[in-house]
Amino acid sequence: MKFFIDTADIAEIRALAATGMVDGVTTNPSLIAKSGRKIAEVIAEICATVPGPVSAEVTAIEAEGMLKEGRYLRAIAHNVAVKVPLTPDGLRACKTLSEEGVMVNVTLCFSPAQALLAAKAGASFISPFVGRLDDIGQDGMGLIAEIVQIYNNYPALKTEVLVASVRHPQHVVAAAKMGADVCTIPPAVLKQLYAHPLTDKGLAAFLADWKKTGQSIL
Ligand code: E4P
């Protein structure tokens, strides 16, 4: 499963890219707003840092406006994936941009029917938001299971399932068990993936025993 990081914070992206664990980046208008920077500038920097797909979201609500914004964003770098909302206009824009060879990430997906529509519109990625479903008492990961099952029935579909709105490491593990293609992970959650108290305890014990030997490897 590929790991994308869900942030527009370039310092975080640089630090995490250096770990070799990052295959792409997702942003959204809220994350760009949080960065306090111009979208074109921040997307260009992210694209220069991470070679994989970098999602940049349109903010127009009609297809024509989405197409204009999408083409502008795509011109920033070859690895931009234009992100459009799962609306009739978003899917019209998705179909046109996909036919032009642009990667499109269809976002704000909350049902299997929506995921089916995005795949028919030629999306490169579908982004179901698991955390926001959990937040309202629904089963976010259940949605991923349904989408993976549906897409697996049609091997000709090329749309990748990109698990979004991830809140904790259990979402990531469950996504991998289900065979999702990508998980976009907030930096704090990516760091949590490394952690286990027995790793820390075991390492401390090994180092203490090693110190007693008086040896050094080099
Ligand atoms: C995905 O592309 C979105 O940017 C993101 O995962 C939304 O997550 P949130 O529900 O934590 O805002």
Side-chain angles (χ1 to χ4, degrees), residues 2-4 22-26 43 46-55 77-81 103 125:
K2 285 173 272 194
F3 284 3
F4 289 2
V22 177
D23 302 301
V25 176
T26 51
I43 293 296
I46 298 171
C47 287
T49 306
V50 174
V54 174
S55 290
H78 74 279
N79 52 333
V80 166
M103 280 187 287
F125 303 101

Side-chain angles (χ1 to χ4, degrees), residues 2 4 53 55 80-82 94-95 97-99 101-106 118-119 121-127 151 157-162 181-182:
K2 285 173 272 194
F4 289 2
S55 290
V80 166
V82 174
C94 173
K95 189 160 175 31
L97 290 168
S98 298
E99 284 168 1
V102 175
M103 280 187 287
V104 181
N105 177 358
V106 177
S124 300
F125 303 101
I126 181 68
S127 289
Y151 283 11
L157 289 182
K158 296 295 173 227
T159 308
E160 295 188 43
V161 179
L162 193 171
D181 303 283
V182 190

Side-chain angles (χ1 to χ4, degrees), residues 65-105:
M66 290 183 193
L67 287 172
K68 281 186 194 143
E69 290 182 357
R71 290 174 185 134
Y72 171 81
L73 293 168
R74 173 61 180 80
I76 294 172
H78 74 279
N79 52 333
V80 166
V82 174
K83 210 170 174 190
V84 300
L86 209 153
T87 60
D89 281 78
L91 294 185
R92 274 181 53 204
C94 173
K95 189 160 175 31
T96 302
L97 290 168
S98 298
E99 284 168 1
E100 291 172 9
V102 175
M103 280 187 287
V104 181
N105 177 358

Side-chain angles (χ1 to χ4, degrees), residues 6 26-28 31 83 107 127 129 132 164-167 184:
D6 198 28
T26 51
T27 69
N28 62 40
L31 292 171
K83 210 170 174 190
T107 189
S127 289
F129 278 32
R132 292 191 194 189
S165 187
V166 161
R167 301 274 195 260
T184 189

